[in-house]
């Protein structure tokens, strides 16, 4: 049996959002930064924070660890359980804007529903209700806690940080051709499919045409572009 070391959860070799994001940050950082900033309608550069070491493994940044003075307050605000919200990358721009990255390479990664103890679910439902009411969104907290719960909690934390006077941008980095690991079996997602998926979530959550729509940004990156010297 071949020995396989699991790094940072499960880092696949040659495919998947973790691999593709690491590839972009390591080998194509300038181009990656430009695409992210363009998607955010911003100028300047991004400084990316390091992850934590854990012996031979590396751990994603969790919650608001990059702002320790606010992290404790966030964990009182939101029921994080034993973990909380993991970020695929966190950066800060020249003008002090924090960039929160959620990376995806497969459509099934987009669906996530609320789980945890009844007390935790009830607490987070109240926080979601606060955000929905703040933006005048015509829906219920329960509707945000089904398949679109992951986007919901990332909207909540973005709103929380902005309410503290911080400049914060949430962006989904979506990889086109990011899951192509076998020529006969590719489950990669196209640019059109990613745009449809993001717009579907915004529609289902009743975010479209509300001020909350400005909280959700996405950048689609082709992992297999034509050869460029």
């Amino acid at each position: 049996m071949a020995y396989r070391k699991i790094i940072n959860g499960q880092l696949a070799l040659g495919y998947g959002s973790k691999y593709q994001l690491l590839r972009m940050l390591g080998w194509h950082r300038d181009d990656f930064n430009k695409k992210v900033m363009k998607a955010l309608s911003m100028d300047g550069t991004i400084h990316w924070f390091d992850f934590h070491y854990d012996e031979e493994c590396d751990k994603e940044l969790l919650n608001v660890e990059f702002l320790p003075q606010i992290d404790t307050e966030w964990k009182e605000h939101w029921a994080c359980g034993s973990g909380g919200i993991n970020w695929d990358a966190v950066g800060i721009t020249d003008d002090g804007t924090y960039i929160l990255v959620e990376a995806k390479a497969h459509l099934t990664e987009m669906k996530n529903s609320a789980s945890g103890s009844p007390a935790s679910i009830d607490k987070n439902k109240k926080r979601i209700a606060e955000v929905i009411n703040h933006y005048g969104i015509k829906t219920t907290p329960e509707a945000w806690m089904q398949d679109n719960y992951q986007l919901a909690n990332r909207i909540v934390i973005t709103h929380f940080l902005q309410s503290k006077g911080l400049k914060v941008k949430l962006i989904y980095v979506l990889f086109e051709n990011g899951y192509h690991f076998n020529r006969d079996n590719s489950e990669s997602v196209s640019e059109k499919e990613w745009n449809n998926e993001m717009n579907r979530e915004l529609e289902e959550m009743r975010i479209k045409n509300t001020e909350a729509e400005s909280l959700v940004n996405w950048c689609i990156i082709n992992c297999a572009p034509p050869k460029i010297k």
Side-chain angles (χ1 to χ4, degrees):
M1 180 180 294
Y3 177 78
R4 183 170 67 93
K5 185 70 175 179
I6 296 177
I7 299 176
N8 188 230
Q10 290 186 358
L11 179 62
L13 179 59
Y15 67 95
S17 57
K18 289 180 183 294
Y19 170 84
Q20 298 294 359
L21 184 60
L22 185 61
R23 175 185 166 210
M24 294 301 155
L25 287 171
W27 290 338
H28 306 285
R29 180 169 296 200
D30 286 346
D31 185 53
F32 176 72
N33 286 350
K34 289 175 184 176
K35 288 175 179 174
V36 169
M37 293 295 272
K38 181 179 180 181
L40 294 172
S41 299
M42 296 178 67
D43 296 315
T45 58
I46 309 172
H47 166 75
W48 297 101
F49 294 112
D50 285 351
F51 276 16
H52 301 301
Y53 286 112
D54 184 8
E55 296 182 347
E56 301 94 339
C57 302
D58 300 307
K59 297 294 183 183
E60 294 172 326
L61 293 171
L62 190 66
N63 298 306
V64 196
E65 289 180 332
F66 49 95
L67 290 168
Q69 68 275 21
I70 297 179
D71 192 44
T72 299
E73 189 175 351
W74 163 253
K75 287 185 282 191
E76 293 172 353
H77 181 81
W78 183 264
C80 296
S82 59
I85 296 177
N86 293 69
W87 297 111
D88 292 310
V90 177
I92 187 169
T93 66
D94 297 333
D95 72 350
T97 300
Y98 289 92
I99 309 297
L100 309 179
V101 175
E102 182 66 36
K104 303 293 183 188
H106 196 283
L107 285 173
T108 57
E109 297 176 300
M110 299 295 290
K111 293 188 176 182
N112 183 275
S113 58
S115 62
S117 69
S120 294
I121 290 175
D122 185 59
K123 181 176 183 177
N124 291 346
K125 183 163 64 175
K126 291 178 181 178
R127 299 307 182 207
I128 289 173
E130 291 170 0
V131 173
I132 288 172
N133 292 334
H134 177 84
Y135 290 102
I137 301 169
K138 299 184 183 303
T139 189
T140 64
E142 291 81 3
W144 278 30
M145 301 182 78
Q146 300 304 315
D147 288 348
N148 304 320
Y149 183 61
Q150 186 182 80
L151 178 56
N153 60 48
R154 278 147 179 77
I155 289 173
V156 171
I157 195 171
T158 301
H159 172 73
F160 170 82
L161 291 172
Q162 289 181 349
S163 73
K164 300 300 174 185
L166 296 166
K167 292 183 288 187
V168 182
K169 294 284 189 180
L170 168 67
I171 186 164
Y172 272 63
V173 173
L174 308 170
F175 292 113
E176 181 183 8
N177 299 314
Y179 214 81
H180 188 97
F181 60 94
N182 185 308
R183 290 183 180 180
D184 299 321
N185 180 22
S186 173
E187 298 181 77
S188 291
V189 186
S190 69
E191 179 178 2
K192 180 179 179 180
E193 288 172 321
W194 276 131
N195 281 320
N196 288 342
E197 174 63 19
M198 293 303 297
N199 283 303
R200 178 197 64 77
E201 289 206 28
L202 294 181
E203 292 283 1
E204 284 189 1
M205 297 171 75
R206 302 296 187 267
I207 292 172
K208 276 285 188 181
N209 301 316
T210 71
E211 289 185 17
E213 189 172 1
S214 66
L215 298 178
V216 184
N217 306 278
W218 65 88
C219 175
I220 301 172
I221 294 179
N222 188 353
C223 296
K227 183 176 181 180
I228 302 174
K229 294 185 178 180

